Amino acid sequence: MEKDIDYIYEALMNTTIDIDSLEADSCLDEVWIKEVIKKAGMKLKWSKLKQDKVKENKDAVRRPPADPALLTPRSPVVTIMGHVDHGKTTLLDKLRKTQVAAMEAGGITQHIGAFLVSLPSGEKITFLDTPGHAAFSAMRARGAQVTDIVILVVAADDGVMKQTVESIQHAKDAQVPIVLAINKCDKAEADPEKVKKELLAYDVVCEDYGGDVQAVHVSALTGDNLMALAEATITLAEILELKADPTGPVEGTVIESFTDKGRGPVTTAIIQRGTLRKGSILVAGKSWAKVRSMFDENGKTINEAYPSMPVGIIGWRDLPSAGDEILEVESEPRAREVVDWRKYEQEQEKNKEDLTVLEEKRKEHQEAHRKAREKYGTLHWKERSYIKYQEKKEQKFLKPKEKAERDSNMLPLVIKGDVDGSVEAILNIMDTYDASHECELELVHFGVGDISENDVNLAEAFHGVIYGFNVNASSAIQQSAAKKGVKIKLHNIIYRLVEDLQGELSSRLPCTVEEHTVGEASVLAIFSITEGKKKIPVAGCRVQKGQLEKPKKFKLIRNGHVVWKGSLTSLKHHKDDVSVIKTGMDCGLSLDEEKIELKVGDEIVCYEDKEVLAKTSWDPGF
């Protein structure tokens, strides 16, 4: 009611209530509340408090750890990490005796690959190949989390580089032991000892220096010592005593996910517990699957997958994100229940965030409204409406030209990638964008899969550009895009895509104008000539550098300061009008402004304006 306590005492004055017994925090009965409100001339409205129904948690969670007696030995999961171009993929090729590196675009790995390698001794190792390029740090972190052992590849001729250090950090965060593979030892300039010394600074102490990290000198190209590396890995795995429980519901992790033309959403996963069979119902993130079929890294169909096996799973309803946890549930209704619960939980989170934002906005509005009221506070209503009318008049609509200007420094993007991880990497790069004051970068849509009609329509609506990474756009789509004036840019190397994006941003920036000097002349004498009844001052000059061209622009410099800018009314050599005066020649010239007083020793510069294309100041760091 916005009244103080005295008002309430007054309102209850001549009633049967004992006023003296009322304290500030006393509780009033309903009758008296109604009485007070009636006296204040207000209306009373009762409302009931709603009881929030708490939804019960329907989430699926991992099972408690199994009984040690049930565990059986499993093969190790090994992640290969290291700087870009240090030979991780070549090393893996040699172990698998296949060619992956030859198929890579631009020779750099841009996906996580999972491969099962059988050694001659009958041991099996699951290898994860992670990208070494700076853009894919999230993929490397994910690789470190599902793994048992990290093989750190360092080139002997290159030493410890930025991503090497980052890989060590990821391995430490995940508390995973490291095996050091010093690669390219067949090169003449290789210096393995230098590498070991450099690594000491990052707490990776090799056995030669009294530490516990095994260092193996290998050459992936010639295949030298690869068996020693495999043995070192197996030895470490034996010490770790890796075991898993092959019974009960499956648990695993999504390594990568992508959409396949004929098979729909597909995920590569590593099984960590249980045995996966056809027909199982799985939940990962906010999507679920009934396993239609499974295949290994060579595309061969398999019927069951044991712990630490990498496996491709077909049958997902939606695409789960890379890094999601896979859990097996008993039935489809249960899977739907889990997914619904997770979506509900996410919504609740979002609602909470939205509420706080709304609350802040509301406060701002109230404050603004109060200030506005204060401004009009004492005025008569006629004056008030006149002021409002004046203000409205000032808020003119944007003219089309201004609108175009506003749009030109904004770049809306639609991003499509082949797998979830690469889209994530591109978004992470875009998060580093810090040049919004030059050109706004706006992400309209991103997704996994080939470029579709929907993407083109979105890009058209927002006047945006479509970037595709390792995806295709059919000829029909490309024609439709051309018709709508939408640019589709397809790349299969990450840094080319970033360079292209930088170029696109630069093209949206306004050009800068630079003055380009054509010639310089110094004033040697001043005299005036009469034209009709007017006296016109003329400067006698000698050209010192370049040449003076009459149509171009001129400026007058005195003691290093620009006194005047403009053009010439006449330029003469002896008595003839000329348009160009070359170096060393004398000339007479008069300026287009008579008020300017010329002095001996002034400098006259002939220049032209050149437009220079601006370049974006954003540097993603590689």
Side-chain angles (χ1 to χ4, degrees), residues 468-512:
F469 180 71
N470 266 338
V471 294
N472 294 317
S474 63
S475 53
I477 295 281
Q478 291 197 345
Q479 282 165 7
S480 140
K483 213 182 258 171
K484 292 174 175 168
V486 172
K487 281 191 225 170
I488 295 185
K489 303 194 167 192
L490 303 176
H491 291 275
N492 52 8
I493 302 177
I494 190 113
Y495 48 86
R496 291 268 181 279
L497 184 137
V498 175
E499 280 163 17
D500 191 324
L501 182 55
Q502 282 172 304
E504 189 64 44
L505 283 163
S506 300
S507 71
R508 304 256 166 161
L509 300 181
C511 291
T512 50

Side-chain angles (χ1 to χ4, degrees), residues 409-426:
N409 44 19
M410 185 177 209
L411 177 60
L413 293 182
V414 174
I415 285 177
K416 294 299 281 272
D418 53 346
V419 295
D420 187 75
S422 37
V423 175
E424 174 189 39
I426 294 168

Side-chain angles (χ1 to χ4, degrees), residues 218-377:
V218 296
S219 162
L221 270 183
T222 56
D224 270 0
N225 244 356
L226 285 190
M227 278 303 120
L229 179 64
E231 278 156 21
T233 312
I234 292 287
T235 318
L236 185 55
E238 279 168 4
I239 297 170
L240 293 173
E241 287 188 340
L242 303 170
K243 292 187 170 175
D245 168 16
T247 59
V250 171
E251 291 172 14
T253 303
V254 179
I255 297 293
E256 200 47 279
S257 57
F258 54 95
T259 338
D260 192 326
K261 271 259 166 67
R263 303 184 287 191
V266 181
T267 62
T268 311
I270 282 193
I271 310 298
Q272 285 155 330
R273 188 176 181 181
T275 304
L276 184 62
R277 296 186 175 81
K278 237 170 110 168
S280 305
I281 312 286
L282 304 178
V283 175
K286 286 182 271 308
S287 63
W288 63 279
K290 182 171 185 184
V291 181
R292 282 211 307 271
S293 72
M294 300 179 292
F295 55 92
D296 61 11
E297 77 270 16
N298 300 322
K300 247 185 29 232
T301 307
I302 48 180
N303 290 326
E304 39 188 37
Y306 303 104
S308 65
M309 251 178 99
V311 57
I313 303 172
I314 299 173
W316 292 94
R317 295 292 181 274
D318 301 303
L319 206 58
S321 297
D324 281 346
E325 183 180 66
I326 295 179
L327 298 171
E328 186 179 354
V329 292
E330 51 275 16
S331 63
E332 284 188 30
R334 172 78 182 112
R336 284 201 193 90
E337 192 175 72
V338 171
V339 171
D340 287 346
W341 163 258
R342 288 180 179 178
K343 283 182 181 161
Y344 166 77
E345 214 170 22
Q346 191 189 15
E347 251 170 48
Q348 293 305 93
E349 277 296 299
K350 196 170 171 304
N351 288 351
K352 259 188 209 154
E353 282 166 24
D354 288 355
L355 261 177
T356 52
V357 174
L358 280 173
E359 205 38 49
E360 279 167 21
K361 276 273 185 322
R362 204 178 62 103
K363 275 186 186 147
E364 274 173 35
H365 278 291
Q366 276 182 334
E367 196 54 32
H369 181 70
R370 215 194 69 234
K371 279 191 180 146
R373 289 300 296 244
E374 277 171 11
K375 191 167 76 183
Y376 304 136

Side-chain angles (χ1 to χ4, degrees), residues 592-616:
D592 62 357
E593 202 174 315
E594 292 165 18
K595 290 194 187 75
I596 294 288
E597 214 181 304
L598 289 158
K599 288 185 183 165
V600 177
D602 286 352
E603 229 180 298
I604 287 183
V605 178
C606 169
Y607 68 96
E608 56 186 342
D609 287 340
K610 279 198 173 167
E611 284 200 344
V612 184
L613 290 175
K615 204 167 177 277
T616 177

